[in-house]
Structures are given as C-alpha cells and as structure tokens.
Amino acid sequence: MSERITGHTELIGLIAYPIRHSSSPKMHNEAFAKLGLDYAYLAFEVDNDTLEDTVKGFRAMKVRGWNVSMPNKTVIGKYLDKLTPAAEMCGAVNTVVNDNGVLTGTITDGVGYMKGLKDAGIDAIGKKMTIAGAGGAATAIEIQAALDGVAEISIFNRKDKFWANAEETVEKINKNTNCKAKLFDLDDKEALRKEIESSYILTNATGMGMKPLEGQTWLPDTSFLREDLIVTDTVYAPAKTKLLEMAESVGCKTLNGFLMMLYQGAAAFELWTGKEMPVDHIKKVMGFDF
C-alpha cells in the first residue's frame, strides 16, 4: 500500500450503513493496482443523518467519485447537481461522479444484475420474472430487465414507504417498454405462490438476508419453489442467504449477488477512470472464477 499511495492519489469512496462487510474496496483497489492507476477506494459508514455533510465534504475535498448503498440511494439525489436519465427513472443513485465540482448521480445496479445473469448463463429475455423489492436497487433491476426484454415482471413488496415507488415503476414499465408488469402485496401468499409457479426466475432485491437480517427470508417455505426455477439474490454477504439455501435444497439453480456487485462496480469504475475494469482478473482475485 505504501508503494501505491502518493501525494497525487485520488480518493474514491463508498457510503452506506452498515458497510464494513463490503467487498467493493478490495475489488476496486485490486483493479486500480492491476492497471497502475493512482486511486484508492475506501468505505465510510454514512446514513441519512450524516449524508448531506458527507456530500459537502467530498465535494470540498475534490473526491473523484463514490458509490452509494442503503439507506442512501433514494435520498442522495437532492444533494447532487445532476442526475442521469437512468437515475431519474429509477429514483435512486448508486454512483456519483465529480467532474471539477459538478456532482452527477447515476445508477448501475440494473446493468450489473443483467450482466451478471448473462455471465452465469441465465437467459431471462422473453421470460417471466418474479422479484421482491421496490427500493433503489430493486427498481433499477426491474426497469433494466424490462428494457432488456424480460416479457413479464411480477413485483412483490409490502405496503411500506416504497409501495408508491413500486406503483410508479409498474406504470413506467408498462408505458415505456413491451414488458408487462404487475404489483402485488408481499403479504399475499396466495398471489406469491401463483406468480412464482409461472416464472422462469425468482429474485430477492430486498435487504433481507444481509446484515442485520441474516438468516431471514420473506419466502414462507420451500413448497413455493420447484426444481426448474432459477433463484437469485442481490445479497452477496453472506454468500448464501436463507433464500438460496432453501432453493438449493429443492434443486434450483441459484446465483448470489457477487456478479451483480462486480458488474455494477465495473460500470462505475469506467465512469471514474475512463478505463475498463479487468473483470477476469477481479473474478479470480475475489473468488468469482466460475
């Protein structure tokens, strides 16, 4: 590290709470080292209460850019100068780029998820997806899946603060794409069973399964699953959530959030540096070598 950090080293960060479990610092710092780039990536525990001050501080320190995760994705936009069309459509930001003091927010989660599926040999195009979640990452996945050609998306969420966002997402998808989207209450177990039965892929895009909700899932039991169903999770720490354990027990093909994390990170990496992340190298270093 002492050989890499210089007086010219530029800072890139990650702000979320909690965040100490994140693999992003290792991934990005390995990529910087591999390409000989003079950047360093650090994680900072920041929640909504300290978010505005953090953005002001990063701007003042000329931080080149940063990633944003829960609970800040849907809040940070009001502290930035510009949003990309993707961020505006999703109502969330996971990547900020600082161009000489102008802060632009975008979101790469949806692209990362769909590229992760492709990398794992999963082809959801023209098929039906059932997904749980209506927050920033979930919305990005749902919109990107629709744009890429997933035929139907059944979105499940509890009637919480994100319910209105889910209603807007369904409207956007049905109005602007050829995908047919519907919204259901996650507490409606009969509807959940019915939609999963006719789906090619089931996805968890909630925080359930990750810290501090380890060992928890919204899926009642394994009777909702079948052997030929593909089950994916956006959570990567732990690598195997309760949902994925249940899916594996009935023979489902499963995929955790590692590849999504890799490819959303690769998209952000290119925005900050102008260089392509050495994905194959990072897969090996991080244990993604399928």
Side-chain angles (χ1 to χ4, degrees):
M1 181 63 74
S2 61
E3 295 175 358
R4 285 196 54 235
I5 301 297
T6 74
H8 299 281
T9 302
E10 292 195 64
L11 176 62
I12 293 177
L14 166 61
I15 56 174
Y17 190 89
I19 201 55
R20 296 307 181 195
H21 64 279
S22 177
S23 297
S24 291
K26 180 178 179 180
M27 177 177 74
H28 284 284
N29 287 315
E30 283 286 349
F32 296 148
K34 178 69 173 176
L35 297 183
L37 300 176
D38 199 1
Y39 293 89
Y41 187 109
L42 297 176
F44 301 93
E45 289 202 322
V46 176
D47 60 16
N48 291 173
D49 292 338
T50 55
L51 181 58
E52 183 177 9
D53 287 341
T54 299
V55 173
K56 288 179 179 178
F58 279 2
R59 189 199 300 266
M61 293 190 299
K62 299 181 174 59
V63 173
R64 172 58 180 149
W66 59 92
N67 284 132
V68 185
S69 194
M70 296 185 290
N72 303 315
K73 286 185 175 183
T74 59
V75 181
I76 195 172
K78 62 187 176 183
Y79 304 127
L80 306 177
D81 301 307
K82 296 192 296 184
L83 298 178
T84 64
E88 286 190 351
M89 182 177 287
C90 294
V93 167
N94 84 322
T95 300
V96 178
V97 181
N98 183 356
D99 290 311
N100 299 314
V102 177
L103 305 183
T104 301
T106 189
I107 190 157
T108 64
D109 285 329
V111 171
Y113 177 81
M114 294 304 291
K115 283 189 175 182
L117 290 187
K118 184 177 180 180
D119 194 330
I122 299 170
D123 183 10
I125 306 306
K127 302 183 179 80
K128 179 175 178 177
M129 170 189 289
T130 290
I131 181 169
T139 302
I141 291 168
E142 290 150 8
I143 288 176
Q144 192 65 49
L147 290 171
D148 285 358
V150 171
E152 294 182 55
I153 301 177
S154 293
I155 301 171
F156 281 82
N157 201 75
R158 294 195 169 91
K159 291 189 175 180
D160 57 16
K161 64 181 180 179
F162 293 112
W163 182 261
N165 185 63
E167 291 178 317
E168 291 180 12
T169 299
V170 167
E171 184 178 351
K172 290 173 184 175
I173 289 173
N174 289 332
K175 182 178 180 180
N176 299 303
T177 77
N178 294 321
C179 180
K180 182 180 179 182
K182 294 181 180 179
L183 176 61
F184 301 89
D185 187 343
L186 189 55
D187 291 328
D188 186 345
K189 303 310 179 188
E190 183 177 341
L192 183 63
R193 186 184 296 276
K194 182 179 178 182
E195 296 307 306
I196 291 174
E197 282 178 354
S198 56
S199 292
Y200 168 77
I201 187 168
L202 172 66
T203 298
N204 173 47
T206 75
M208 192 164 285
M210 68 180 287
K211 191 175 183 179
L213 303 173
E214 301 102 321
Q216 299 183 38
T217 179
W218 40 261
L219 190 72
D221 56 65
T222 56
S223 69
F224 284 70
L225 306 174
R226 63 181 194 281
E227 187 176 354
D228 65 335
L229 180 70
I230 294 171
V231 180
T232 74
D233 206 317
T234 59
V235 174
Y236 64 86
K240 191 177 293 184
T241 60
K242 178 67 173 178
L243 175 65
L244 296 188
E245 288 177 352
M246 293 169 67
E248 287 185 359
S249 73
V250 299
C252 300
K253 179 174 181 176
T254 64
L255 181 69
N256 66 23
F258 277 120
L259 288 178
M260 174 181 167
M261 191 268 288
L262 172 66
Y263 284 107
Q264 65 80 24
F269 184 93
E270 189 166 353
L271 290 172
W272 296 321
T273 69
K275 308 289 185 181
E276 289 187 9
M277 178 180 279
V279 170
D280 290 339
H281 170 73
I282 298 302
K283 279 184 184 180
K284 293 176 182 177
V285 171
M286 303 292 289
F288 299 165
D289 197 10
F290 287 91

